[in-house]
Every structure is written in structure tokens, then in C-alpha cells.
Amino acid sequence: MANLTLASFGSTVRKHRDNKTLRESAREIGVGPATLMRVASRRVPDVDTFAKICRWLKVDPGTVLGFVPAARESVPSDTATLVSAHLRADQVPNLETAQALARMIMVAVSRQKPIETNDV
């Protein structure tokens, strides 16, 4: 999936569904059909939905948000799934704002110290 961006996320979801119904695809992803329909209509999903859809598409969420993979080496891959623009469902996001917020979050995550198992 070359050049997958937040702006093309919805159309990629529609294409990836292939011949499956909206309900079948939503069940596979673990979201409701109405949620999947909103995403396919170019609405930005919440963080959990974004992560689920990225797993379903088998794409790195950082790539969708415009990150260069080499700059993210120190960030655990599970953490990257938690990053997305979290806007109201009826709003089309400003791509630059979403990418700037995602970069700030990724920098903060990369600077966190790992939790020691004996600290818990």
C-alpha cells in the first residue's frame, strides 16, 4: 500500500474490503458497521478504531501519519498504534495538524523510560 496517508485512509479501507459486506469487514476489524462506514467516508477514527483498522490493513500507523520509519526505531511498535488525530466523527481533519500532534506524541513516547518489572 504505497503512499497511504490519513487523507487516503478511507478509500484504502473501501478498497481493502474487496467483495465483503460492510458488516463482514466491520466484524473482522472489531468495530461497528456505522463506524466503518464513517471511516470509509473520510472521517478520522478515534485512536482505538484507527489502531484496529491499521492492524486489519497490516500497515504501520506511523506511515499513515507521515512518519519516516528510520526516525521511529526507538519507539515500540505497539505504541505507534495509539497515535492518531482524535477529532469529532463529523469533521474532516486538517492533515498538517493531525501529523503535528502525532509527531509530538511519538517524541514523548520515545523519551519514556521503560517500566521495570520489579517496579510493578
Side-chain angles (χ1 to χ4, degrees):
M1 283 181 218
N3 300 326
L4 177 59
T5 65
L6 197 54
S8 65
F9 195 64
S11 61
T12 301
V13 168
R14 284 192 307 275
K15 290 175 189 170
H16 193 73
R17 278 185 40 216
D18 201 25
N19 292 326
K20 296 177 188 161
T21 67
L22 186 72
R23 289 182 191 276
E24 289 171 330
S25 297
R27 194 175 313 119
E28 275 182 18
I29 297 168
V31 299
T35 298
L36 188 57
M37 184 182 302
R38 283 191 297 273
V39 172
S41 299
R42 299 191 64 204
R43 302 294 197 263
V44 175
D46 61 52
V47 174
D48 291 335
T49 301
F50 179 72
K52 288 176 183 179
I53 293 173
C54 284
R55 278 192 294 273
W56 179 67
L57 292 172
K58 296 181 174 83
V59 298
D60 178 0
T63 303
V64 177
L65 296 171
F67 291 105
V68 177
R72 296 179 53 253
E73 288 176 6
S74 64
V75 179
S77 61
D78 290 347
T79 304
T81 61
L82 300 176
V83 178
S84 79
H86 185 67
L87 302 171
R88 291 190 335 228
D90 62 347
Q91 196 174 42
V92 176
N94 176 309
L95 181 59
E96 291 80 20
T97 301
Q99 288 177 335
L101 288 170
R103 281 188 198 99
M104 289 187 322
I105 293 168
M106 294 302 285
V107 166
V109 168
S110 70
R111 297 190 195 300
Q112 286 180 334
K113 292 186 347 188
I115 296 173
E116 298 293 327
T117 55
N118 40 348
D119 287 348
V120 180

